[in-house]
Amino acid sequence: MGEPALKGDPTDGGLSVGGTRYEDDLYTWVQEQVALLRAGRVDALDLDHIAEELSDVGNAQYNQLESTLRALMMHMLKWDQQPEKRMPSWIFSIREQRRRYARLLKKNPGLKSSLDEARDAAYPNARDWASEECHLPPDEFPPECPYEWDDILNRPFDFDSVKKQRP
């Protein structure tokens, strides 16, 4: 997909690529801002909205971290609370969430400073989700996160324990 061509007089800082307003069409606005950046037309950029979008990108990465931890801890809670109902799919989910976590931190090492905050923010939702999935009241689960980072990232979950539960 090509970028929009720059339009207007390059000496006129008030003109943008196509003049699309941020509020009217985010996608086209982004494409125009990228074209302006690549053309060196810094004076024509919509800096306030660019700053807002960059902030949103950072927040989205944090939210993705929190979401990954929420899903991971939910499956761990279910595993611990209902050993008689353990399913191989829970192991696959735990492994997948651990892989997502690792990829996310590899691409965004700056998130490491927010790990405890993200875990603590994700846990109440993981607890509620596990409660609903297990059909148990929330107070059947620890009120605070019971898992250390080593548990979250390295505790083994294996098929042998699932097979032993099956008749």
Side-chain angles (χ1 to χ4, degrees):
M1 173 171 276
E3 293 177 17
L6 290 169
K7 298 176 184 174
D9 180 357
T11 61
D12 183 355
L15 291 177
S16 68
V17 179
T20 303
R21 288 175 6 118
Y22 172 86
E23 297 83 1
D24 295 338
D25 180 353
L26 180 61
Y27 179 80
T28 302
W29 173 87
V30 166
Q31 299 308 312
E32 291 172 0
Q33 297 302 304
V34 168
L36 288 167
L37 276 168
R38 290 198 170 127
R41 300 254 330 263
V42 177
D43 59 321
L45 293 171
D46 182 353
L47 296 177
D48 288 338
H49 286 119
I50 289 172
E52 183 178 324
E53 287 301 311
L54 288 174
S55 179
D56 287 349
V57 168
N59 290 336
Q61 297 307 303
Y62 175 86
N63 291 339
Q64 188 175 355
L65 172 64
E66 193 176 306
S67 175
T68 298
L69 290 170
R70 180 177 56 245
L72 174 55
M73 289 187 293
M74 183 274 297
H75 283 288
M76 292 175 72
L77 287 167
K78 284 173 47 175
W79 184 274
D80 292 342
Q81 187 66 30
Q82 295 187 319
E84 72 283 357
K85 295 184 178 183
R86 290 177 179 165
M87 303 285 292
S89 64
W90 299 357
I91 297 170
F92 291 130
S93 293
I94 288 168
R95 288 179 182 170
E96 174 59 23
Q97 296 307 319
R98 284 175 171 172
R99 283 191 284 270
R100 287 181 187 191
Y101 170 88
R103 281 192 308 266
L104 188 59
L105 286 184
K106 184 176 181 182
K107 289 181 180 181
N108 301 280
L111 286 172
K112 290 178 183 175
S113 65
S114 301
L115 290 178
D116 288 339
E117 175 189 340
R119 179 197 55 205
D120 295 344
Y123 181 74
N125 291 323
R127 181 179 181 231
D128 289 345
W129 191 7
S131 167
E132 188 166 318
E133 292 261 329
C134 292
H135 307 289
L136 295 170
D139 62 2
E140 292 287 322
F141 298 90
E144 302 294 324
C145 182
Y147 305 118
E148 298 295 327
W149 280 106
D150 189 52
D151 295 323
I152 293 170
L153 301 177
N154 301 310
R155 181 175 150 198
F157 293 89
D158 58 58
F159 289 109
D160 290 337
S161 60
V162 174
K163 290 176 189 173
K164 291 176 188 171
Q165 301 298 324
R166 304 268 168 160

